[in-house]
């Protein structure tokens, strides 16, 4: 295959993330331009001769493809000069891979991409669509053009968001021999008969090329040319495997660790308001009763002063009726009402005083004030119960580990932990797991992990500062050296193969 420079650049630089999206857009724009050129040529008087020339060139180039992967890449990309499409895919039936009857399909190549992202939502959606298509009456053995949402799940977000609504399915077979491979084309226009005819001719040519590649004589394997050397390597490999199976080592996991307070007191807003100022600086030692946070108290102070004045008015009224009740019986009745009003006013005054006192948040335990920049809090509104800072005893600390879900095999009670702080990497600290979260949480980086708490085994270990970070090694049960070395490859193999 001799692809153009633009296609080679697109296929080489396509990666995951934002770079992959930009390269995919560039490749699709390039293929779309070629498709528009092909459509314009088909409308010209010399369309037949031009298409024939392109068809001859493509059939000649596919003969130079020595591998099936290169053949499918050539099919999904080079066919754009003949057929106007928005996206092209080659899929293979898993029946041809495992030798048993099944309707599942796997994407082998996508136009504009050098590699297929197996877990991409659109790739999985195309596989399900072809699976449902092949389960129809003819089993997907004949070319078929259709429009979404036919053969697709109407409630799937990919079905609703698909911009290319017209699809063309072409199974690859040559002389009655089915390859178990299909070619799927997606476009934003209705498929015309001439496009279907050209696509069918291309499908037959590539099917013939695939059968030719499968029938080529393969060179003699290297292990058969060097049998004695292969036998020696096999013996060494057996001895090495035996050693790996007999040697026992503890299963270890590395996790990031941070020094945190063991039982910090959370300073929360008792009332809704606005922070006027933070009284103490970060890291300042405080005692019980020391003021920590001052909330804006204008409204609370006004409420208290109004309640105080109401209480004074109620007391004056009660005093007047007390004096008048000596000679006036009606004043005695009004005295009882005035006393009740005075009690209500006193209760309102006490409540306003209590709310005013809450505008100054004080420390409920001795320790060190832990929070961020004081300037971030000035003028900031807070809700009831919103945490503002913590007061913690710097002598009572523990280690907080973030153990990835894939390494959670070591999470057991009293598991041994060795902590290596970045501030003192040559002075490891022995610790033990005291608790582990039952449910994994996702951090801002998108990694799911378990929050694990560990405490130093020796109380004499001096942790000089809260917030220190480092790496912790969590020790698990004894396993064979083979399992320790190949646990992750085994997991990756099972995830990929499903065995």
């Amino acid at each position: 295959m001799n692809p153009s420079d633009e296609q080679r650049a697109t296929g080489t630089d396509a990666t995951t993330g934002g770079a992959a999206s930009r390269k995919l857009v560039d490749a699709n724009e390039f293929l779309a331009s070629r498709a528009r050129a092909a459509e314009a040529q088909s409308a010209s008087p010399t369309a037949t001769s031009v298409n024939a020339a392109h068809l001859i060139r493509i059939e000649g180039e596919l003969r130079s493809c020595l591998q099936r992967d290169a053949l499918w890449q050539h099919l999904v990309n080079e066919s754009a000069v003949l057929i106007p499409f928005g996206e092209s895919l080659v899929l293979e039936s898993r029946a041809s891979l495992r030798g048993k009857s099944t309707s599942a399909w796997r994407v082998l190549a996508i136009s504009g991409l050098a590699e297929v992202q197996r877990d991409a939502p659109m790739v999985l959606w195309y596989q399900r669509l072809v699976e449902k298509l092949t389960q129809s009456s003819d089993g997907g053995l004949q070319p078929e053009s259709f429009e979404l949402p036919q053969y697709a799940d109407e409630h799937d977000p990919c079905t609703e968001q698909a911009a290319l609504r017209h699809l063309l399915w072409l199974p690859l077979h040559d002389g009655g021999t089915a390859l178990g491979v299909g070619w799927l084309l997606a476009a934003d226009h209705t498929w015309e008969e001439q496009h279907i005819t050209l696509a069918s001719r291309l499908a037959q040519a590539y099917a013939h090329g695939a059968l030719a590649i499968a029938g080529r004589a393969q060179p003699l394997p290297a292990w058969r040319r060097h049998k004695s050397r292969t036998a020696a390597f096999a013996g060494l490999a057996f001895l090495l495997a035996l050693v790996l199976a007999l040697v026992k080592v503890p299963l270890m996991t590395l996790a990031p660790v941070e020094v945190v307070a063991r039982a910090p007191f959370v300073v929360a807003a008792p009332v809704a308001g606005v922070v006027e100022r933070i009284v103490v600086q970060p890291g300042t030692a405080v005692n019980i009763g020391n003021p920590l946070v001052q909330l804006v108290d204008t409204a609370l102070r006004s409420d208290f002063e109004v309640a105080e004045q109401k209480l004074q008015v109620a007391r004056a009224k009660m005093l007047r009726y007390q004096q008048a009740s000596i000679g006036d019986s009606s004043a005695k009745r009004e005295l009882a009402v005035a006393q009740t009003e005075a009690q209500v006013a006193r209760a309102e005054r006490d409540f306003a005083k209590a709310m005013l006192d809450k505008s100054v948040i004080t420390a409920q335990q001795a320790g060190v004030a832990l929070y961020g920049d004081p300037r971030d809090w000035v003028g900031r509104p807070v809700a009831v119960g919103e945490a503002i800072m913590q007061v913690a005893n710097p002598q009572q600390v523990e280690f907080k580990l973030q153990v990835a879900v894939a390494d959670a095999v070591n999470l057991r009670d009293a598991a041994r932990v060795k902590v290596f702080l970045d501030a003192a990497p040559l002075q490891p600290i022995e610790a033990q797991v005291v608790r582990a979260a039952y449910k994994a949480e996702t951090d801002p980086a998108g990694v799911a992990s378990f929050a694990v708490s560990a405490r130093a085994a020796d109380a004499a270990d001096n942790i000089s500062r809260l917030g220190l970070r480092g790496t912790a090694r969590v020790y698990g049960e004894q396993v064979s050296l083979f399992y320790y070395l190949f646990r992750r490859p085994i997991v990756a193999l099972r995830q990929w193969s499903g065995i």
Side-chain angles (χ1 to χ4, degrees):
M1 178 179 65
N2 297 317
S4 61
D5 294 338
E6 292 86 352
Q7 290 171 315
R8 187 179 299 109
T10 302
T12 304
D13 297 336
T15 56
T16 59
S21 300
R22 291 192 296 270
K23 293 300 180 181
L24 179 57
V25 171
D26 295 338
N28 288 336
E29 289 179 356
F30 174 72
L31 292 175
S33 64
R34 298 184 67 178
R36 288 193 296 269
E39 192 171 8
Q41 291 172 356
S42 64
S44 64
T46 59
T48 303
S49 60
V50 172
N51 289 339
H54 285 310
L55 183 60
I56 293 173
R57 178 183 63 81
I58 291 175
E59 290 186 349
E61 289 179 354
L62 69 86
R63 300 177 189 276
S64 62
C65 298
L66 303 180
Q67 301 292 332
R68 287 169 64 95
D69 293 341
L71 186 70
W72 303 141
Q73 287 289 340
H74 193 275
L75 172 58
V76 297
N77 291 293
E78 291 297 327
S79 57
V81 298
L82 282 176
I83 306 169
F85 60 81
E87 195 167 26
S88 174
L89 302 91
V90 172
L91 300 95
E92 184 176 20
S93 172
R94 293 184 181 271
S96 62
L97 299 176
R98 294 194 289 247
K100 59 182 181 180
S101 177
T102 177
S103 59
W105 290 75
R106 182 171 67 100
V107 175
L108 298 180
I110 302 178
S111 58
L113 286 179
E115 296 181 358
V116 179
Q117 299 180 10
R118 299 294 176 193
D119 56 347
M122 288 302 297
V123 172
L124 300 176
W125 177 76
Y126 274 123
Q127 292 179 168
R128 292 192 297 267
L129 185 145
V130 173
E131 178 181 356
K132 191 171 182 180
L133 185 149
T134 54
Q135 292 175 350
S136 59
S137 58
D138 60 351
L141 301 178
Q142 298 297 329
E144 181 177 359
S145 61
F146 58 95
E147 183 178 357
L148 295 177
Q150 186 178 1
Y151 301 122
D153 185 4
E154 298 180 357
H155 304 290
D156 194 321
C158 293
T159 305
E160 301 175 358
Q161 298 172 5
L164 307 175
R165 311 292 294 183
H166 300 272
L167 289 91
L168 176 61
W169 168 252
L170 296 156
L172 271 63
H173 54 82
D174 179 57
T177 302
L179 275 69
V181 179
W183 184 22
L184 185 65
L185 300 172
D188 56 357
H189 56 78
T190 305
W191 291 102
E192 299 179 4
E193 188 62 29
Q194 59 178 351
H195 298 152
I196 299 177
T197 302
L198 283 173
S200 300
R201 175 58 186 264
L202 281 177
Q204 294 177 4
Y206 281 91
H208 183 79
L211 291 176
I213 291 174
R216 287 194 180 102
Q218 300 296 329
L220 191 65
W223 66 270
R224 295 187 61 183
R225 297 195 301 267
H226 307 282
K227 290 185 178 181
S228 58
R229 188 179 302 176
T230 302
F233 279 117
L236 291 176
F238 175 77
L239 292 178
L240 178 61
L242 185 62
V243 172
L244 293 178
L246 295 178
V247 176
K248 298 293 183 179
V249 295
L251 187 61
M252 294 181 294
T253 297
L254 297 179
V257 64
E258 180 183 3
V259 179
V260 298
R262 182 180 300 179
F265 170 71
V266 179
V267 179
V271 294
V274 177
V275 177
E276 181 177 352
R277 63 190 179 95
I278 304 294
V279 179
V280 296
Q281 294 296 322
T284 303
V286 297
N287 295 319
I288 298 177
N290 287 359
L292 301 176
V293 182
Q294 172 68 58
L295 302 178
V296 175
D297 60 354
T298 303
L300 298 176
R301 188 172 298 277
S302 298
D303 293 341
F304 171 71
E305 292 176 354
V306 171
E308 183 69 25
Q309 293 298 325
K310 286 183 178 180
L311 178 59
Q312 296 298 331
V313 171
R315 285 177 175 175
K317 184 178 179 180
M318 182 181 64
L319 181 60
R320 181 168 60 85
Y321 281 120
Q322 283 179 347
Q323 294 174 352
S325 63
I326 297 175
D328 188 358
S329 59
S330 61
K332 293 181 179 180
R333 293 190 297 270
E334 295 296 335
L335 177 60
V337 176
Q339 290 175 343
T340 303
E341 291 177 350
Q343 293 176 356
V344 172
R346 185 182 299 108
E348 292 178 351
R349 192 276 311 270
D350 294 343
F351 175 75
K353 182 64 169 60
M355 297 301 292
L356 179 61
D357 293 339
K358 289 184 179 180
S359 63
V360 178
I361 306 176
T362 59
Q364 302 300 315
Q365 73 175 35
V368 175
L370 304 176
Y371 68 101
D373 192 345
R375 293 173 295 183
D376 295 339
W377 287 98
V378 176
R380 176 174 170 179
V382 292
V384 178
E386 182 177 353
I388 301 177
M389 67 174 64
Q390 293 182 352
V391 176
N393 187 347
Q395 302 302 323
Q396 297 180 358
V397 299
E398 62 184 13
F399 303 103
K400 181 180 179 181
L401 289 71
Q402 296 294 335
V403 181
V405 173
D407 298 325
V409 292
N410 285 340
L411 296 184
R412 55 186 180 86
D413 293 339
R416 180 191 172 198
V417 179
K418 184 173 286 188
V419 179
F420 299 87
L421 297 177
D422 294 339
L426 300 180
Q427 300 175 3
I429 301 173
E430 291 288 340
Q432 288 184 343
V433 173
V434 293
R435 62 180 178 274
Y438 184 77
K439 180 182 178 182
E441 299 291 342
T442 304
D443 58 14
V447 179
S449 57
F450 291 95
V452 180
S453 297
R455 293 179 184 174
D458 188 0
D461 288 333
N462 182 21
I463 311 301
S464 59
R465 192 179 184 87
L466 292 170
L468 293 179
R469 294 178 178 271
T471 303
R473 181 187 298 165
V474 184
Y475 293 86
E477 59 184 1
Q478 295 285 330
V479 295
S480 65
L481 183 58
F482 175 84
Y483 181 79
Y484 178 80
L485 295 176
F486 296 99
R487 181 175 67 89
R488 290 186 179 276
I490 291 173
V491 172
L493 178 63
R494 293 199 62 183
Q495 291 177 347
W496 177 78
S497 63
I499 299 177

